[in-house]
Amino acid sequence: MQIKSFAIEQFFARYEFSSPYILCASDCETINVETLLRMAGQSLSDLGALSLSYTESQGHPALRQAISQGYQLATADDIVLLATPEEGIYLIMRTLLEPGDHVVVLTPAYDSLLNLAEHVSGNVSQWQVQPGDSGWQLDLSQLEKLVTADTKLVVLNFPHNPTGFLPSQEQFQQILTIAQKHGAWLFCDEMYRGLEFDSRQQLPSAVDAADRSIVLTGLSKVHGLPGLRSGWLVIRDEQVRNELINWKHYTSICAPAPSEFLAMAALRAQDQLASRSREIIRQNLIAASQFFDRWSRLFEWRPPQAGSVALVGLNQPSATAYCHALAQETGILLLPSSCMGYGDKHIRVGLGRADFVRNLAHYEEHLLASQK
Ligand SMILES: Cc1ncc(COP(=O)(O)O)c(C=O)c1O
């Protein structure tokens, strides 16, 4: 059975490894294995001694124990290690949904959050983040209308990719209350949680704030380790967890042993990794807002509130045509909003990479040269 094209990943697959000036990545600056091990107080020979046998399907008990320390209500038993964060989205949709089940998805969304829900249930309502005068916003009265007694699942993602929207603590509580009023499951993608610009903004994990909630996170964004392909779900409901682990036997069986080993190292070094990512974003954000101010004829800048990405209005007939031509002619990579099912008038920028300022300067040279 066909599924919609995974537009974001198709776009990156086409350009990511041949474009020297990437300005739209959602991950944060990475490090190599040696540096990670040094940060964690370990050596390369520790990794060398690792056995490459199968790992435990639910994940190594010590790793699950370390992960559970990040949540108030979750224990090691509630954690399910994944072979990739992406796998978690597939497994949740397969486990929770039957054809016809009603799902509400926060949009624009990372493709799989929307496309897999549509593929499995065929009955999705979109709750759209809206452009406001000075930032992005959510209309909670709309969510009140969308969630009904028939709603099986509400899919959220905060901090939000691609807008960088983050609700206030009060709004978040209201969203959870609305989602749960009718007994719907809540699936909160927290891949960017930890990248708040001010630590007081950080929302509680949904798993600590609401019953019938399931959380996805991983090490790709905040920790800057996307090549580890390490992520996990937090599922406190035993029946759902067991059903999901059964689905997982059909996808990966268990997480790769080297990823588990290095994930453990990443948790030891997590404060250092996360504050490094936040500092890179802080500096890039200053450069980005000055750049978009200078080029306000071409762009409409709505600053993100958290995370590593921002969605910027583009004053061009087609963002898709613009981004493809830019990539092919200059090697500068911006992601068109058409890849996120959000019209054709926006681009996503990614603020987590160390070469962002250099690449933005290169883009500015190109813009200046095209004016002549
Ligand atoms: C919101 C969101 N969820 C999940 C993922 C998947 O993460 P990974 O690529 O590490 O599997 C991404 C990746 O961009 C994402 O933005």
Side-chain angles (χ1 to χ4, degrees):
M1 192 179 174
Q2 288 289 317
I3 185 165
K4 261 192 193 161
S5 166
F6 203 129
I8 295 180
E9 297 302 344
Q10 301 275 8
F11 185 86
F12 274 100
R14 179 161 175 195
Y15 293 116
E16 182 176 6
F17 296 97
S18 56
S19 301
Y21 306 105
I22 294 181
L23 282 170
C24 57
S26 60
D27 54 6
C28 292
E29 187 65 23
T30 197
I31 52 172
N32 63 26
V33 172
E34 207 168 352
T35 309
L36 175 60
L37 290 174
R38 198 175 333 109
M39 280 177 167
Q42 288 175 284
S43 71
L44 268 176
S45 62
D46 295 334
L47 178 60
L50 177 75
S51 153
L52 290 176
S53 54
Y54 279 107
T55 63
E56 288 193 36
S57 220
Q58 194 173 340
H60 194 290
L63 180 55
R64 288 190 282 112
Q65 178 60 36
I67 289 171
S68 70
Q69 302 300 304
Y71 304 93
Q72 276 168 18
L73 299 183
T75 68
D77 287 345
D78 303 327
I79 311 295
V80 181
L81 259 294
L82 303 163
T84 71
E86 175 64 21
E87 182 190 28
I89 300 175
Y90 181 83
L91 294 178
I92 281 297
M93 301 304 177
R94 279 289 173 209
T95 305
L96 286 183
L97 298 177
E98 299 288 341
D101 282 344
H102 182 237
V103 188
V104 176
V105 181
L106 180 73
T107 59
Y110 182 65
D111 295 48
S112 45
L113 293 171
L114 177 63
N115 294 358
L116 278 168
E118 270 176 354
H119 181 73
V120 180
S121 85
N123 184 13
V124 171
S125 305
Q126 297 191 28
W127 183 37
Q128 274 214 346
V129 181
Q130 306 285 344
D133 289 340
S134 58
W136 295 93
Q137 57 195 30
L138 273 175
D139 180 354
L140 270 70
S141 65
Q142 219 185 328
L143 183 66
E144 286 267 18
K145 289 185 199 129
L146 291 175
V147 181
T148 70
D150 290 333
T151 305
K152 179 80 183 282
L153 176 66
V154 176
V155 180
L156 302 173
N157 164 222
F158 299 129
H160 182 236
N161 173 15
T163 61
F165 175 79
L166 185 71
S168 66
Q169 306 274 351
E170 296 71 33
Q171 276 176 325
F172 185 57
Q173 269 315 321
Q174 284 169 344
I175 293 168
L176 299 184
T177 306
I178 296 168
Q180 299 221 299
K181 197 160 71 179
H182 298 290
W185 278 97
L186 197 78
F187 177 41
C188 205
D189 179 324
E190 298 182 353
M191 287 294 288
Y192 300 86
R193 183 167 173 267
L195 292 179
E196 296 73 19
F197 305 156
D198 172 345
S199 61
R200 286 167 303 182
Q201 288 179 300
Q202 187 172 82
L203 301 174
S205 171
V207 89
D208 290 328
D211 292 337
R212 288 171 78 77
S213 60
I214 294 169
V215 156
L216 169 74
T217 193
L219 302 174
S220 305
K221 314 297 179 184
V222 185
H223 302 72
L225 303 170
L228 259 193
R229 313 305 297 122
S230 185
W232 57 86
L233 290 162
V234 191
I235 312 174
R236 286 166 50 214
D237 185 286
E238 193 180 352
Q239 192 185 339
V240 171
R241 194 168 61 239
N242 288 337
E243 283 171 20
L244 182 129
I245 292 170
N246 185 45
W247 267 106
K248 192 182 159 197
H249 292 308
Y250 288 95
T251 52
S252 64
I253 304 174
C254 59
S259 297
E260 283 206 330
F261 181 93
L262 293 170
M264 196 73 189
L267 291 182
R268 288 199 190 98
Q270 69 177 339
D271 292 344
Q272 213 181 332
L273 289 167
S275 55
R276 173 177 173 273
S277 298
R278 284 192 298 266
E279 181 54 24
I280 292 172
I281 293 170
R282 192 187 68 76
Q283 288 178 19
N284 290 343
L285 202 49
I286 296 169
S289 67
Q290 290 169 351
F291 170 90
F292 289 118
D293 265 3
R294 285 196 294 280
W295 292 92
S296 56
R297 275 180 294 115
L298 187 55
F299 301 105
E300 198 175 357
W301 171 238
R302 287 192 180 78
Q305 291 154 296
S308 53
V309 288
L311 194 62
V312 186
L314 177 72
N315 186 13
Q316 284 287 306
S318 160
T320 311
Y322 182 86
C323 293
H324 280 280
L326 192 69
Q328 287 160 24
E329 288 159 21
T330 69
I332 298 165
L333 203 60
L334 293 167
L335 180 70
S337 57
S338 53
C339 286
M340 290 157 278
Y342 192 68
D344 204 14
K345 288 282 177 194
H346 289 80
I347 49 156
R348 186 182 83 180
V349 292
L351 302 158
R353 295 277 183 94
D355 60 2
F356 179 83
V357 173
R358 183 203 70 150
N359 293 349
L360 198 62
H362 183 79
Y363 182 30
E364 187 150 31
E365 277 167 30
H366 164 76
L367 290 175
L368 288 167
S370 346
Q371 276 183 335
K372 288 179 189 152

